[in-house]
């Protein structure tokens, strides 16, 4: 009889416990997320809509230099819109297009 009551209670308590844990997980903030004020400042300082943005450079021995530009991985010689990636350094990438060369910096001048 005791075993039956214990199993019955467990079958009622476990779903409630699981639901409570799920609700608690939804309300806990991410401790690694930057403060909201910092996110807003970062969004305001980001490149204007439509402008190409250098997000990462990939260089090293035995690999073709590449850059992540506006979310797209581009190898040297590859195209981004009407421009071609011609050079990648540790801090910048150079695109050549109909209007000449454009240098994209990893860290914009305003942030230095």
């Amino acid at each position: 009889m005791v075993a039956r009551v214990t199993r019955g209670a467990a079958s009622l308590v476990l779903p409630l416990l699981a639901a409570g844990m799920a609700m608690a997980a939804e309300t806990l903030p991410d401790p690694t997320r930057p403060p909201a004020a910092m996110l807003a400042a970062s969004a305001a300082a980001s490149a204007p809509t439509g402008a190409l943005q250098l997000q990462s450079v990939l260089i090293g021995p035995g690999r073709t230099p590449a850059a992540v530009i506006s979310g797209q991985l581009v190898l040297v010689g590859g195209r981004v819109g009407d421009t071609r990636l011609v050079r990648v350094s540790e801090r910048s990438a150079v695109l050549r297009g109909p209007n000449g060369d454009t240098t994209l910096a990893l860290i914009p001048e305003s942030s230095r």
Side-chain angles (χ1 to χ4, degrees), residues 71-86:
Q72 178 183 349
L73 176 64
V74 184
L75 300 175
V76 167
R79 298 190 72 78
V80 179
D82 61 349
T83 63
R84 183 175 303 279
L85 181 62
V86 293

Side-chain angles (χ1 to χ4, degrees), residues 83-95:
T83 63
R84 183 175 303 279
L85 181 62
V86 293
R87 189 170 48 251
V88 177
S89 71
E90 291 178 358
R91 295 188 177 130
S92 65
V94 178
L95 298 169

Side-chain angles (χ1 to χ4, degrees), residues 34-51:
M38 185 180 280
L39 290 174
S42 174
S46 66
T49 305

Side-chain angles (χ1 to χ4, degrees), residues 7-17:
R7 275 187 269 161
S11 67
L12 292 174
V13 172
L14 288 177
L16 292 174
L17 183 61

Side-chain angles (χ1 to χ4, degrees), residues 25-106:
E26 290 176 13
T27 59
L28 291 176
D30 180 357
T32 63
R33 186 174 175 84
M38 185 180 280
L39 290 174
S42 174
S46 66
T49 305
L52 295 175
Q53 183 178 14
L54 180 61
Q55 297 167 311
S56 181
V57 295
L58 304 146
I59 54 178
R63 71 168 296 141
T64 302
V68 177
I69 301 172
S70 299
Q72 178 183 349
L73 176 64
V74 184
L75 300 175
V76 167
R79 298 190 72 78
V80 179
D82 61 349
T83 63
R84 183 175 303 279
L85 181 62
V86 293
R87 189 170 48 251
V88 177
S89 71
E90 291 178 358
R91 295 188 177 130
S92 65
V94 178
L95 298 169
R96 183 165 292 147
N99 298 328
D101 289 358
T102 302
T103 301
L104 303 176
L106 270 177

